[in-house]
Amino acid sequence: MIIRGDEPEQVRLIKKLYKPGNYFMQGNEAVAYGAIFAGCRFYAGYPITPSSEIAETMARELPKLGGYYLQMEDEIGSIAAMVGASWTGFKVMTATAGPGFSLMQENLGYAVMTETPLVLVDVQRSGPSTGQATKGAQGDFFQARWGTHGDHPIVAVSPTSGQDAFWETIRAFNIAEKLRTPVVVLFDGVLAHTREQIRIPDVEEVEIAYRKLPANEEEARLPFGDPHGDGVPPMPLFGHGYFTHVTGSTHKENGLRDVYTPEVHDRLVRRIHRKIEQNRDVYEKYEEHFADDAEILVVSWGVTARPALGAVLKAREEGIKAGLFVPKTVHPFPGERMKQLGKKVRAVLVAEMNLGQMILEVQRFVNDDVLLKGVNKIGGVPLTVEEILREIRGVA
């Protein structure tokens, strides 16, 4: 389902406007087209380098599909507008970079608490503060996980190429819709501005998910209940005749505020966590290369996974048993698989464009007798094949 009530017309428009084939485009454009194919018809944002091409593409394309583009006064207003639009039934997205991501954190928590499906693309750039505004980085790994306050789950995915950005954006929407939760796409300024060949598929090749809606009035009266036992409540949409109360304060299953009863808060927050934890099959995804017989395992994500694979291939040519593990969903981290792989190797190298963030997740799942080392680089220039290969040789 693309957007409720207008699927055949939307499919016809997409087939007419976006012919299947190979195109030469930026990673940011691939994100935008992925969102369009996923059914996003509302975008609210504020331009910020290096994400602005996503907004520009959505501003140009959404009106052709009967969608809406809003340039808001700032990033706080952008994510607030997304929450409101999502509750009317729209699939929604915004894109930003580090400083804007910081401003969105309070309302990201509001989206978690109100169980509002949305997609937030963070095109990471060098920080802290203004930093290197036009340069890519991977410094927002933990900001995506812990940027908003309180006990909260989050799902974050990270593409490794422009083509991957198209499909991972679609997957982010499907996760958001299936689990009624915000999803972060951790992109970066390097891939965002890299132009490469992108295959645009026929829209009928694309899996499209839409949120669970109330089956009857009883379900509609409990917008934060759990009638199906999977932790995911049906979502009664505004404008459909329901009385629906939505608040970021602690609330009962009927949506009404109750900030005084410990059991109400405990039940609500634990269920929000449980719907993520028990539906791991919806979002968990990773790639492995030569991991079965690897003695040295490189773990990487996002843009750095590409030179990491190149380094592993060259190491293999030199007779070094190297392998690669790439989490595509970085939060929740695929810890069980990391634990299994960690038992089979003697060294783990974690390559990333920061001073060591994912490595702290890896450390939780690797035994102390395994050598664990970071391969880190900052300054806006990505790690190269040779730099990672040198570290593999050093360990070998």
Side-chain angles (χ1 to χ4, degrees):
M1 188 172 291
I2 296 180
I3 57 175
R4 242 181 112 63
D6 195 22
E7 291 77 36
E9 176 63 13
Q10 286 293 315
V11 169
R12 186 190 69 79
L13 279 172
I14 289 178
K15 282 179 172 289
K16 177 183 176 183
L17 292 169
Y18 312 114
K19 302 295 185 185
N22 294 323
Y23 294 82
F24 190 60
M25 66 175 71
Q26 282 188 351
N28 274 344
E29 293 174 289
V31 168
Y33 287 114
I36 288 167
F37 273 63
C40 177
R41 297 297 178 266
F42 182 92
Y43 182 100
Y46 186 81
I48 181 172
T49 304
S51 75
S52 295
E53 292 84 3
I54 298 174
E56 291 165 4
T57 305
M58 297 299 275
R60 185 183 67 238
E61 300 300 326
L62 281 180
K64 301 175 185 176
L65 296 156
Y68 299 89
Y69 171 89
L70 287 180
Q71 180 167 318
M72 300 300 290
E73 70 275 15
D74 56 28
E75 290 85 355
I76 299 171
S78 299
I79 190 169
M82 288 168 61
V83 171
S86 183
W87 274 92
T88 71
F90 277 102
K91 292 183 179 181
V92 301
M93 185 177 81
T94 192
T96 188
F101 194 33
S102 297
L103 290 172
M104 291 183 178
Q105 291 300 331
E106 181 181 2
N107 275 336
L108 181 58
Y110 182 84
V112 171
M113 191 65 153
T114 58
E115 299 177 75
T116 304
L118 59 84
V119 172
L120 195 169
V121 182
D122 174 26
V123 184
Q124 299 169 91
R125 74 190 210 189
S126 292
S129 189
T130 307
Q132 296 172 291
T134 62
K135 302 294 184 182
Q138 292 181 296
D140 299 350
F141 181 83
F142 280 121
Q143 187 186 19
R145 178 63 189 93
W146 297 113
T148 196
H149 63 280
D151 288 312
H152 68 280
I154 203 75
V155 178
V157 306
S158 186
T160 56
S161 69
Q163 184 70 72
D164 202 32
F166 176 87
W167 289 108
E168 286 299 292
T169 302
I170 293 171
R171 190 168 74 93
F173 274 96
N174 288 342
I175 296 168
E177 295 291 322
K178 290 176 181 178
L179 299 182
R180 225 185 103 176
T181 190
V183 176
V184 175
V185 178
L186 277 176
F187 207 33
D188 66 83
V190 179
L191 290 176
H193 290 154
T194 297
R195 292 186 181 274
E196 53 190 333
Q197 181 173 284
I198 309 294
R199 177 184 171 268
I200 298 295
D202 188 290
V203 66
E204 293 182 1
E205 296 177 39
V206 179
E207 179 202 348
I208 302 294
Y210 193 76
R211 65 201 65 171
K212 191 190 307 176
L213 299 174
N216 49 52
E217 288 290 332
E218 184 180 350
E219 286 190 4
R221 284 195 292 269
L222 298 173
F224 300 95
D226 186 13
H228 303 290
D230 60 357
V232 185
M235 187 174 182
L237 303 178
F238 290 174
H240 287 245
Y242 303 122
F243 173 80
T244 305
H245 192 271
V246 179
T247 175
S249 296
T250 297
H251 45 273
K252 295 176 284 190
E253 284 78 1
N254 62 7
L256 295 178
R257 188 172 182 269
D258 181 351
V259 299
Y260 299 107
T261 309
E263 292 80 12
V264 170
H265 184 81
D266 183 274
R267 190 166 63 243
L268 170 65
V269 176
R270 286 185 187 274
R271 180 185 58 74
I272 291 173
H273 276 79
R274 189 176 74 251
K275 77 174 180 181
I276 303 299
E277 292 163 1
Q278 73 181 25
N279 289 297
R280 190 170 282 269
D281 60 307
V282 172
Y283 59 81
E284 185 164 271
K285 183 180 178 183
Y286 48 79
E287 290 181 358
E288 297 178 16
H289 303 271
F290 311 106
D292 289 343
D293 68 342
E295 297 177 359
I296 300 169
L297 184 69
V298 180
V299 181
S300 194
W301 60 289
V303 62
T304 311
R306 297 176 77 169
L309 178 57
V312 166
L313 290 170
K314 283 186 174 292
R316 286 260 161 184
E317 291 173 2
E318 296 177 11
I320 301 170
K321 288 188 175 181
L324 177 64
F325 181 60
V326 181
K328 303 302 286 290
T329 301
V330 295
H331 300 300
F333 190 76
E336 285 305 309
R337 185 54 182 159
M338 186 68 249
K339 187 185 297 183
Q340 293 167 2
L341 293 173
K343 290 177 180 177
K344 302 193 298 183
V345 300
R346 62 184 179 86
V348 175
L349 301 177
V350 184
E352 46 188 338
M353 281 182 71
N354 56 47
L355 293 180
Q357 295 192 25
M358 181 178 275
I359 192 173
L360 299 178
E361 282 284 5
V362 173
Q363 187 176 39
R364 296 169 56 210
F365 301 101
V366 173
N367 293 338
D368 290 341
D369 59 349
V370 174
L371 172 66
L372 178 62
K373 183 178 182 182
V375 183
N376 309 104
K377 188 175 182 180
I378 58 174
V381 179
L383 282 157
T384 65
V385 170
E386 281 301 321
E387 287 169 334
I388 299 171
L389 179 59
R390 185 165 60 243
E391 297 294 333
I392 295 173
R393 287 175 181 147
V395 170

